Amino acid sequence: MISFLSFVSPFTPFLGTLFVLILVLEQNSYLRRKRNVPGPNMVLPFLGNAIPLVREPTRFWEIQAHLASSLGFSVNYIIGRFIVFIRDTEISHLVFSNVRPDAFLLVGHPFGKKLFGDHNLIYMFGQDHKDLRRQIAPNFTPRALSTYTALQQIIILQHLKSWERLSEESPGKPISLRLLARDMNLETSQTVFVGRYLSNEARVKFRDDYNLFNTGLMKLPFDLPGFAFRNARLAVERLVETLTDCAAQSKKRMFQGDEPSCLIDFWMQETVREVTESKTAQPSDYEIGSYLFDFLFAAQDASTSSLLWAVSLLDSHPDVLRRVREEVSSIWSPESDVLITAEQLRDMKYTQSVAREVIRYRPPATLVPHIAMKDFPLTESYTVPKGTIVFPSVFESSFQGFPEADRFDPDRFSEARQEEVIYKRNYLAFGAGPHQCVGQRYALNHLVLFIAMFVTVLDFKRHRTDGCDEIMYCPTICPKDGCSVSLVRRCPRYPNLSLN
């Protein structure tokens, strides 16, 4: 150590000067791009404000939103990247509607391309993107959604039963639903998307890899052995490989004329039809596997967030809970041993309003990162420099326009008020423009089914502590305590339903 210090000491003035020079150059570059936009005036070289973002992401974005209150946007600097946070709804729409090579590209994550790979639905644009969305459309027809709702309900009921047992095993001790809901959603996604093509062993490996991916999402992007980001990237490669094999198996079955039983089957049925008619070139099995991973990523964590907030908000609004129970009980009973039909689901109008309000009040994917491919005029007075990561905030938009936006009020989506129509531009939880979520009907169905079954089958009591409803990023937003509840069975018995 002493010899090393002796060797370095003559270079100390040079190293110090080099550090100051880098600091000055990077600071000058940041200020040149920042101009007069609200944001920090000093940033660390390379890291910028990455440490506060990783330590307290909720606080970090709250500060950005506060800074953006004057102009509608603010700036910062993270891991060598200049970023712009957008609070104003109309500026967000400007970004969403200009996804093209000479404006913005959706990236999904500041370092998403490295994490997700090149073949990814969110990175597509133009005619290729339109063609793929057209090919995906049969996955979300009423017939397909009806197939999925049956699978969703059976898995939801199986997990509600296990949650009740966990609560019984620890009387007086609340259980946290966050990881339980995430596991339920992962099993739901696996079954709905690629059901019969995953063995039990593959499902276990799939879950472990997805957990590695989830962990790496919120870590610093160091792609080195032993780091969470590297583990996440390798896990994505294995997940895509598994989904690629599922696509190949499904295509073979659909060529043989089998009936679809999951999402990949509906997709491959359409693919087989187009191949037979020689309409257009089709994606490879590997590309389809990559796109399936996009679906999984979109459905998994966002859905978990919404389920947790639904439980939390129903507990804190007993009148809403009472009305949901009354509506569901008048339409469906767990003792009937039959599933909720598509028609019954449509009749649960108040429960659907509750689901929509949960998503408005706590939009799970609060930010939708895009990258500026060229200098782009964001306003008359400010042009976003090329390479900037732009963060339109759908969370901030959800609290603009709507009357009493800070109040949880499902009736705003009633037929009488129709605020989802009047303030449609502010309801951005499913995005807007060419990349608006293609599976939003599926996501809403899942939330409505969960709410209907959860409140009918179980009595629940939220364990509330100071700050339990504060927002935590993980990577979507969840209640800070993970939504801790005590559960007791409400119905005499569980429905006798199974996937077989």
Side-chain angles (χ1 to χ4, degrees), residues 153 157-158 161 332-339 453 457 491-498:
Q153 291 175 72
L157 285 167
Q158 289 175 347
K161 189 185 297 186
W332 176 80
S333 169
E335 297 173 64
S336 63
D337 283 345
V338 296
L339 297 170
M453 292 185 155
V457 171
C491 60
R493 62 179 180 81
Y494 284 94
N496 184 26
L497 302 167
S498 69

Side-chain angles (χ1 to χ4, degrees), residues 396-410:
E396 293 297 322
S397 291
S398 292
F399 293 89
Q400 298 170 29
F402 293 97
E404 297 183 90
D406 290 328
R407 186 162 71 92
F408 181 74
D409 179 16

Side-chain angles (χ1 to χ4, degrees), residues 165-185:
R165 283 198 301 268
L166 279 174
S167 197
E168 283 181 348
E169 290 168 3
S170 305
K173 184 179 178 181
I175 60 172
S176 173
L177 293 185
R178 185 169 78 86
L179 296 182
L180 296 174
R182 190 182 71 182
D183 287 345
M184 180 187 74
N185 280 334

